[in-house]
């Protein structure tokens, strides 16, 4: 087996030389000898299975080339060998092992009778520049100056440019002159804000004097400790004009941003202890932003405070979004009795232009419209009524008005739509009107989804008359960049809403929002009393909150804690919280402005209330009692946590787990096991270079005291040792060969198939064949023991083979014999003599009986008298009459009976 090193330390430049060596080795081999190729880097792959051909194919396997694992390659080679062959491994490598233990596998090869030889392949002398070390303090205080240290190693003197980033923002760009060896640089920074500082250093080399670019970047972390820092997301400044001073007055650092600026990466959110979203509609946040926010709370233990308003919760289109899944309340009202019965019709444009691919490049405009209708139907109550209509050059009813119930038929019907034809909005509008005017529900609402492109004649007038005459409201969702003005006029004149959508992916959220607004029951306005219904730190020191002027109705989740409720009879939640993953989320269903919280703004506890709400969302940090470190070896990262009390005593029997968030925003959770007093460890296998966030959480009872821990720390996975330029490790290859009795085959490819090993034998299990033999022979054995075959059976079988019916044969023989008897009697008169003899015998018997004193009862003579006599008879043996007296037929029958008896015996 040839082990071909394809790692980055060798590169692709030597691939042809490796294959050429294998070709030279196999072209003169003995005809029966076989060979195989295994390609390896960080992993191993069988590229060519065993063969005795003399042509070597090109390498086809794709392996991870960022490390060299000779150990796994040897193990794979050992497993590939057959048992009954002399076996040799030839390693074609530079011997630079970065993971694994090749010497241990070599000893396994020795025990298995496998010889290891080698051929050294290595790059020529090259120059390389790399960031050898980049460090910063693990923890600094807010406002403190600190140093970050960079060590750059170069094989030759050269010029370069040093770049330093802080949280992906370039803070230093400086030309540097590198000498041969290590050049050290120290940069002073000031920690002006709390949270994590994620630094990365990059060196750009002038010219071509750099072998690897993978080792030109390195990162480090620092955690700034100080006042809690929170991020406030708002779409309108007026929504937070009173909230920001209240939070700052409670001792919080507040950064205010628009929804579009919410970081799409979880790592960028880790600098904040909590995120506050104030009256932002769902369509203002992308799915990516919501998913990253979800990971920030669930996996890193961040906090989330969701503040209401007319564009939040259900009216904001948050139904079935990632953010809704985080909240302690559902955006849908489950109490059907409090909602008016709604009739809603979906008028979907299915003209040819709707087949245009949407901006996401995945779905067409029509497909997104279909998804939006399906989502809207899910939001409806079972007692609501709905219908689906469409139009191209004509209007048509796709699914008639019906109770929603489960809505599956409606969704099936809307999914059947296909794009094609012209665009006549008026035809669709008139069709919808014709069917809707017969509906007798409290609310009737029509939603038009179109990309325009129709004449405006009578559209606005028709929409206005539908609303004036029949109370039908109309909302328009217009897809595209340049929409005609009559679409917005239609919505305005019919008492509905107009939505101009340039990104068709927003349609589902808009339609869910439209469904809520159509009911007009999700926003409760008027004086609303506030009731404290459970104890929670958010209401410490607060006994009588002022009345609110409105809120958004929601449904509390089963495991949520409801702290404040509105007035009866609904008692909707106003303030609720729950644990979501490692973090906490808080839902406040009213707002923090003069719209609904007018009485709260001048309230003396306004700042205290919001400070306590946000601080409660921040999971308590007891990280000062634990220290976390990460060490990586052989591709495995080991997390070590040292837990001690304030006095330095070991904290034992804790239950700790680590939530790990990688550079690609994938999360993993593992449990730490105690390995020594106060020490807990766990392993994980990182695959991507970059920054990792680790949230250590858990606790236990120590000395009757309940302890809890929640610490977030960082770790950077550096580049692989594969990219640290070194000379070939000839010593390792020599040791592997010495252990197994191999050698260096570089100068003698033809010796590859010459071996001094003794021939090997092997055993193979044969129980399968034995079992098959038993299954075949057992029925035969039973047949021999149970079935008796006589000569008569053999004769009958012989007759059957010759085509003679065995059952017909005896009758034919008897007929032949009878015919022969008749012919004999005719010739000789033997029948008359036989009859005379019998008559004479009868007369003699009668005479003797008359002379005797006792009645004749002998059975020697058979007569009608004796056969019917009632006298008792004593049986006695009767001598067989002479053969002459039986006649020819009798003798033949007697012989036949004798033969049958012999056959049976």
């Amino acid at each position: 087996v040839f082990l071909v090193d394809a790692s980055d330390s060798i590169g692709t430049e030597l691939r042809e030389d490796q294959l050429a060596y294998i070709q030279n080795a196999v072209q003169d081999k003995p005809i029966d000898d076989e060979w195989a190729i295994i390609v390896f880097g960080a992993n191993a792959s069988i590229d060519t299975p065993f063969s005795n051909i003399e042509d070597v194919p090109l390498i086809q396997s794709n392996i991870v080339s960022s490390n060299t694992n000779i150990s796994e390659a040897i193990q794979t080679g050992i497993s590939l060998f057959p048992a009954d062959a002399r076996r040799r491994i030839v390693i074609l490598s530079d011997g630079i092992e970065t993971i694994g233990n090749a010497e241990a596998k070599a000893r396994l090869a020795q025990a298995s009778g496998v010889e290891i030889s080698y051929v050294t392949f290595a790059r020529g002398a090259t120059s390389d520049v790399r960031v050898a070390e980049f460090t910063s303090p693990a923890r600094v205080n807010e406002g403190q100056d600190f140093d970050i240290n960079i060590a750059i190693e170069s094989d030759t003197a050269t010029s370069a440019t040093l770049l330093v980033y802080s949280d992906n923002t370039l803070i230093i760009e400086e030309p540097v002159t590198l000498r041969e060896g290590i050049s050290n640089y120290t940069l002073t920074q000031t920690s002006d804000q709390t949270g994590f500082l994620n630094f990365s250093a990059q060196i750009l080399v002038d010219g071509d004097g750099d072998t690897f670019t993978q080792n030109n970047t390195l990162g480090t972390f620092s955690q700034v400790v100080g006042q809690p820092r929170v991020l406030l997301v708002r779409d309108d400044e007026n929504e937070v004009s009173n909230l920001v001073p209240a939070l700052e007055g409670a001792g919080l650092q507040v950064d205010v941003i628009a929804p579009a600026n919410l970081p799409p990466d979880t790592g960028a959110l880790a600098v904040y202890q909590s995120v506050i979203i104030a009256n932002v509609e769902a369509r203002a946040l992308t799915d990516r932003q919501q998913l990253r926010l979800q990971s920030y709370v669930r996996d890193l233990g961040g906090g989330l405070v969701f503040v209401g308003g007319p564009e939040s919760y259900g009216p904001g289109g948050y139904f079935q979004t990632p953010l809704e899944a985080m909240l302690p309340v559902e955006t849908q009202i489950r109490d059907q009795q409090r909602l008016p019965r709604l009739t809603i019709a979906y008028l979907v444009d299915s003209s040819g232009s709707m087949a245009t691919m949407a901006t996401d490049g995945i779905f067409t405009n029509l497909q997104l419209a279909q998804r939006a209708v399906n989502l809207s139907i899910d939001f409806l109550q079972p007692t609501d009524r709905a219908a689906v209509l469409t139009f191209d050059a004509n209007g048509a009813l796709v699914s008639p008005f019906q109770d929603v119930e489960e809505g599956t038929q409606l969704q099936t019907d809307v999914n059947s739509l296909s794009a094609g034809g012209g665009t006549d909005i008026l035809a669709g509008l008139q069709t919808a009107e014709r069917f809707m005017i017969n509906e007798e529900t409290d609310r009737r609402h029509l939603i038009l989804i179109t990309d325009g492109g129709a004449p405006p004649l009578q559209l606005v007038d028709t929409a206005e008359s539908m609303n004036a005459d029949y109370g039908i409201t109309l909302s328009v969702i217009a897809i595209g960049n340049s929409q005609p003005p009559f679409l917005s006029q239609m919505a305005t004149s019919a008492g509905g809403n107009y939505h101009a959508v340039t990104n068709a992916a927003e349609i589902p959220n808009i339609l869910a929002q439209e469904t809520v607004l159509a009911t007009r029951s999700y926003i409760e306005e008027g004086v609303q009393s506030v009731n404290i219904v459970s104890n929670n730190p958010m209401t410490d020191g607060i006994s009588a909150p002022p009345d609110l002027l409105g809120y958004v109705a929601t449904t509390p989740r089963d495991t949520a804690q409801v702290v404040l409720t509105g007035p009866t009879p609904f008692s909707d939640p106003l303030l609720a919280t729950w644990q979501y993953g490692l973090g906490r989320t808080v839902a406040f269903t009213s707002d923090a402005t003069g719209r609904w919280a007018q009485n709260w703004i001048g309230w003396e506890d306004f700042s205290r209330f919001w400070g306590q709400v946000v601080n409660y969302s921040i999971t308590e940090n007891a990280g000062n009692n634990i220290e976390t470190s990460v060490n990586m070896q052989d591709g495995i990262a080991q997390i070590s946590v040292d837990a001690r009390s304030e006095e330095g005593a070991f904290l034992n029997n804790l239950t700790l787990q680590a939530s790990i968030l990688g550079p690609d925003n994938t999360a993993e959770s593992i449990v730490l096991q105690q390995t020594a007093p106060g020490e807990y460890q766990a392993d994980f296998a990182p695959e991507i270079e970059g920054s990792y966030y680790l949230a250590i959480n858990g606790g236990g009872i120590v000395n009757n005291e309940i302890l809890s821990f929640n610490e977030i720390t960082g770790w950077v996975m550096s580049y692989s040792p594969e990219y640290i330029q070194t000379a070939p490790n000839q010593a390792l290859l020599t040791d592997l060969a010495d252990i197994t009795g191999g050698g260096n085959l570089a100068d003698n490819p033809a010796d590859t198939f010459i071996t001094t090993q003794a021939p090997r034998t092997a055993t193979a299990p044969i129980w399968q064949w034995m079992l098959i033999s038993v299954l075949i022979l057992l029925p035969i054995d039973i047949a021999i023991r149970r079935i008796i075959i006589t000569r008569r059976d053999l004769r009958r079988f012989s007759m059957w083979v010759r085509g003679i019916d065995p059952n017909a044969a005896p009758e034919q023989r008897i007929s032949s014999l009878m015919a022969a008897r008749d012919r004999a009697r005719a010739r000789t008169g033997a029948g008359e003599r036989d009859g005379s003899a019998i008559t004479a015998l009868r007369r003699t018997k009668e005479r003797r009986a008359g002379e005797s004193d006792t009645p004749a009862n002998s059975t020697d003579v058979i007569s009608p008298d004796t056969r019917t006599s009632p006298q008792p008879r004593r049986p006695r043996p009767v001598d067989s009459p002479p053969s002459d007296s039986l006649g020819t037929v009798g003798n033949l029958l007697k012989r036949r009976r004798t033969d049958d008896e012999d056959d049976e015996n």
Side-chain angles (χ1 to χ4, degrees):
V1 176
F2 295 98
L3 305 185
V4 178
D5 188 347
S7 63
D8 286 342
S9 63
I10 285 186
T12 58
E13 297 86 349
L14 300 178
R15 183 66 52 80
E16 292 184 2
D17 294 340
Q18 291 171 316
L19 292 177
Y21 178 89
I22 298 175
Q23 184 66 65
N24 292 333
V26 303
Q27 64 183 2
D28 296 325
K29 71 175 183 63
I31 190 170
D32 291 334
D33 285 3
E34 296 185 352
W35 57 274
I37 294 177
I38 293 175
V39 181
F40 71 95
N43 59 324
S45 174
I46 300 173
D47 191 80
T48 303
F50 274 116
S51 171
N52 58 8
I53 63 175
E54 297 180 359
D55 293 326
V56 179
L58 297 177
I59 299 296
Q60 300 294 329
S61 298
N62 293 319
I63 50 91
V64 179
S65 59
S66 57
N67 273 299
T68 302
N69 192 343
I70 301 176
S71 172
E72 183 175 341
I74 294 175
Q75 176 68 66
T76 306
I78 294 174
S79 65
L80 193 61
F81 283 113
D84 57 348
R86 289 175 288 189
R87 299 174 283 181
R88 168 179 283 168
I89 286 176
V90 179
I91 303 175
L92 313 180
S93 172
D94 57 7
I96 301 176
E97 181 183 39
T98 60
I99 56 176
N101 187 342
E103 290 191 8
K105 294 301 180 183
R107 300 190 187 282
L108 176 62
Q110 178 193 28
S112 303
V114 178
E115 173 195 307
I116 298 179
S117 295
Y118 68 92
V119 180
T120 304
F121 285 86
R123 291 176 182 264
T126 59
S127 61
D128 186 54
V129 177
R130 56 191 170 273
V131 180
E133 188 176 5
F134 186 27
T135 61
S136 64
R139 189 185 299 265
V140 295
N141 294 320
E142 183 182 4
Q144 175 185 346
D145 291 340
F146 63 96
D147 294 336
I148 55 177
N149 301 301
I150 307 170
I152 301 175
E153 186 175 3
S154 177
D155 295 332
T156 59
T158 185
S159 59
T161 301
L162 176 63
L163 306 176
V164 179
Y165 295 85
S166 176
D167 295 328
N168 298 320
T169 301
L170 181 65
I171 59 175
I172 293 176
E173 182 176 3
E174 181 179 339
V176 294
T177 300
L178 304 176
R179 64 175 182 271
E180 182 178 353
I182 295 180
S183 302
N184 293 302
Y185 299 90
T186 300
L187 305 173
T188 301
Q189 297 291 305
T190 301
S191 55
D192 55 356
Q193 57 186 15
T194 60
F196 279 97
L197 296 179
N198 182 6
F199 296 104
S200 63
Q202 183 180 12
I203 190 73
L204 302 179
V205 181
D206 299 338
D208 299 327
D210 195 14
T211 303
F212 297 117
T213 59
Q214 293 93 333
N215 57 13
N216 288 9
T217 303
L218 204 57
T220 186
F221 270 107
S222 287
Q223 185 176 11
V224 181
V225 180
Q227 287 182 305
R229 185 180 175 196
V230 299
L231 180 64
L232 180 56
V233 183
R234 52 83 185 114
D235 203 13
D236 184 352
E237 288 286 353
N238 294 326
E239 295 292 333
V240 298
S241 59
N242 298 295
L243 185 58
V244 171
L247 295 175
E248 291 176 341
L252 298 171
Q253 295 186 45
V254 184
D255 293 343
V256 182
I257 62 171
N261 298 326
L262 181 69
D265 295 320
T266 306
L269 293 171
V271 300
Y272 300 101
Q273 280 71 48
S274 186
V275 175
I276 307 166
I277 299 178
N279 194 33
V280 175
E281 64 178 350
R283 61 184 296 198
L285 299 172
T286 65
D287 285 345
R288 178 184 174 89
Q289 288 174 317
Q290 293 190 45
L291 289 171
R292 296 299 174 255
L293 189 60
Q294 187 179 51
S295 181
Y296 160 76
V297 176
R298 180 189 60 208
D299 303 318
L300 292 184
L304 173 67
V305 178
F306 198 76
V307 183
E311 296 178 340
S312 64
Y313 298 103
Y318 281 95
F319 178 61
Q320 290 188 356
T321 60
L323 201 147
E324 187 206 24
M326 304 165 57
L327 298 178
V329 294
E330 297 181 49
T331 60
Q332 187 179 28
I333 298 176
R334 296 295 183 183
D335 185 1
Q336 301 177 18
Q337 297 181 355
R338 65 183 293 186
L339 296 176
R341 196 177 184 203
L342 171 68
T343 292
I344 190 167
Y346 306 96
L347 182 58
V348 182
D349 185 348
S350 60
S351 62
S353 58
M354 289 291 285
T356 304
M357 192 63 65
T359 52
D360 61 4
I362 301 176
F363 301 102
T364 65
N365 288 338
L366 178 59
Q367 289 172 330
L368 283 174
Q370 290 168 325
R371 294 178 60 198
V373 172
N374 289 332
L375 181 63
S376 176
I377 291 172
D378 285 337
F379 196 84
L380 294 173
Q381 300 295 332
T383 56
D384 290 338
R385 291 178 60 78
V388 178
L389 301 100
T390 187
F391 65 91
D392 43 31
N394 300 289
L397 180 65
V398 178
S399 188
F401 280 102
Q402 56 194 280
D403 290 343
V404 172
E405 296 296 338
E406 295 180 356
T408 53
Q409 185 59 49
L410 288 161
Q411 292 169 331
T412 300
D413 292 340
V414 74
N415 290 337
S416 67
L417 293 176
S418 59
T423 306
D424 190 345
I425 300 176
L426 181 60
L429 205 62
Q430 292 172 340
T431 303
E433 179 184 20
R434 186 167 65 253
F435 289 101
M436 291 190 74
I437 60 177
N438 298 320
E439 290 296 312
E440 298 179 353
T441 54
D442 299 325
R443 304 272 169 81
R444 287 177 287 187
H445 188 58
L446 175 63
I447 300 177
L448 168 63
I449 306 174
T450 181
D451 59 358
L457 298 177
Q458 302 181 35
L459 289 177
V460 176
D461 293 339
T462 302
E464 185 176 5
S465 64
M466 288 173 59
N467 181 252
D469 298 340
Y470 306 108
I472 299 173
T473 55
L474 169 66
S475 290
V476 178
I477 300 176
I479 305 173
N481 293 315
S482 56
Q483 291 298 331
F486 66 82
L487 292 178
S488 61
Q489 295 170 8
M490 289 172 61
T492 303
S493 63
N497 303 299
Y498 175 72
H499 306 276
V501 180
T502 56
N503 181 7
E506 299 175 358
I507 295 177
N509 286 340
I510 294 174
L511 205 52
Q513 183 179 8
E514 271 298 314
T515 309
V516 174
L517 297 177
T519 65
R520 304 177 187 174
S521 299
Y522 276 76
I523 295 178
E524 298 286 348
E525 291 188 312
V527 177
Q528 310 290 334
S529 61
V530 179
N531 304 302
I532 301 177
V533 294
S534 63
N535 294 324
N536 186 279
M538 291 185 288
T539 57
D540 284 349
I542 298 173
S543 57
D547 293 338
L548 292 167
L549 301 181
Y551 65 90
V552 180
T554 58
T555 302
R557 298 188 187 273
D558 293 338
T559 57
Q561 181 189 14
V562 178
V563 182
L564 300 179
T565 64
T568 56
F570 301 130
S571 298
D572 291 321
L574 296 177
L575 180 66
T577 183
W578 74 341
Q579 188 80 20
Y580 185 75
L582 299 181
R584 286 182 185 148
T585 63
V586 178
F588 185 69
T589 59
S590 187
D591 65 8
T593 70
R595 181 193 307 110
W596 292 339
Q598 179 179 348
N599 298 329
W600 284 48
I601 294 173
W603 179 33
E604 60 181 5
D605 287 331
F606 184 69
S607 177
R608 177 176 184 172
F609 171 79
W610 282 111
Q612 291 179 169
V613 166
V614 174
N615 278 305
Y616 179 78
S617 71
I618 301 172
T619 307
E620 294 181 5
N621 190 344
N624 292 332
N625 293 63
I626 60 176
E627 292 185 3
T628 304
S629 61
V630 181
N631 296 305
M632 187 166 180
Q633 184 175 5
D634 289 341
I636 301 298
Q638 184 179 77
I639 303 173
S640 296
V641 175
D642 185 23
R644 298 172 184 262
S645 66
E646 299 292 343
E647 295 77 20
F650 296 121
L651 300 177
N652 299 317
N653 302 317
L654 301 178
T655 300
L656 299 177
Q657 67 176 8
S659 182
I660 306 162
L661 187 68
D664 57 350
N665 287 288
T666 58
E668 176 185 2
S669 182
I670 56 178
V671 177
L672 284 81
Q673 304 292 336
Q674 184 168 3
T675 58
E679 183 175 339
Y680 302 82
Q681 293 182 344
D683 296 338
F684 72 100
E687 297 180 354
I688 303 175
E689 296 176 13
S691 302
Y692 287 77
Y693 291 88
L694 290 83
I696 310 298
N697 64 92
I701 301 176
V702 178
N703 297 326
N704 297 323
E705 181 182 359
I706 299 176
L707 301 178
S708 62
F709 303 92
N710 184 33
E711 180 190 53
I712 301 177
T713 186
W715 171 72
V716 176
M717 179 179 172
S718 177
Y719 53 79
S720 167
E722 189 79 15
Y723 307 115
I724 300 176
Q725 183 75 6
T726 60
N729 192 348
Q730 188 76 26
L732 175 63
L733 297 175
T734 302
D735 290 343
L736 300 180
D738 292 343
I739 290 172
T740 60
N744 188 346
L745 300 177
D747 298 329
N748 303 296
D751 292 347
T752 302
F753 288 88
I754 298 176
T755 180
T756 59
Q757 290 182 327
R760 301 176 63 89
T761 59
T763 60
I766 62 171
W767 63 269
Q768 303 96 326
W769 299 107
M770 298 293 292
L771 180 59
I772 293 173
S773 301
V774 168
L775 294 176
I776 294 174
L777 295 176
L778 181 60
I780 298 175
D781 176 72
I782 294 174
I784 293 174
R785 295 174 181 271
R786 295 294 183 182
I787 301 176
I788 300 176
I789 302 176
T790 65
R791 284 182 294 175
R792 180 183 178 187
D793 296 322
L794 295 176
R795 284 199 301 269
R796 290 170 64 86
F797 177 74
S798 176
M799 295 174 65
W800 178 78
V801 171
R802 292 185 305 226
I804 302 172
D805 186 0
N807 296 323
E811 297 178 0
Q812 294 175 357
R813 289 197 300 270
I814 291 175
S815 299
S816 299
L817 291 173
M818 294 293 290
R821 184 200 64 179
D822 293 341
R823 289 195 299 273
R825 284 180 177 179
R827 287 197 309 269
T828 62
E832 295 177 359
R833 288 195 302 271
D834 291 342
S836 301
I838 293 172
T839 303
L841 286 173
R842 181 180 298 118
R843 290 174 180 174
T844 303
K845 187 68 173 177
E846 290 175 353
R847 186 177 59 251
R848 289 177 180 176
E851 295 174 356
S852 176
D853 295 334
T854 60
N857 56 2
S858 174
T859 60
D860 291 340
V861 178
I862 302 174
S863 66
D865 295 334
T866 60
R867 194 162 40 242
T868 60
S869 172
Q871 298 293 330
R873 293 180 297 171
R874 183 176 59 188
R876 66 178 180 179
V878 178
D879 295 333
S880 299
S883 59
D884 293 340
S885 66
L886 296 177
T888 303
V889 175
N891 289 330
L892 289 174
L893 291 175
K894 177 181 177 182
R895 184 175 299 173
R896 169 65 178 174
R897 286 193 297 269
T898 304
D899 291 342
D900 288 345
E901 292 174 357
D902 292 338
D903 290 343
E904 292 175 358
N905 294 330

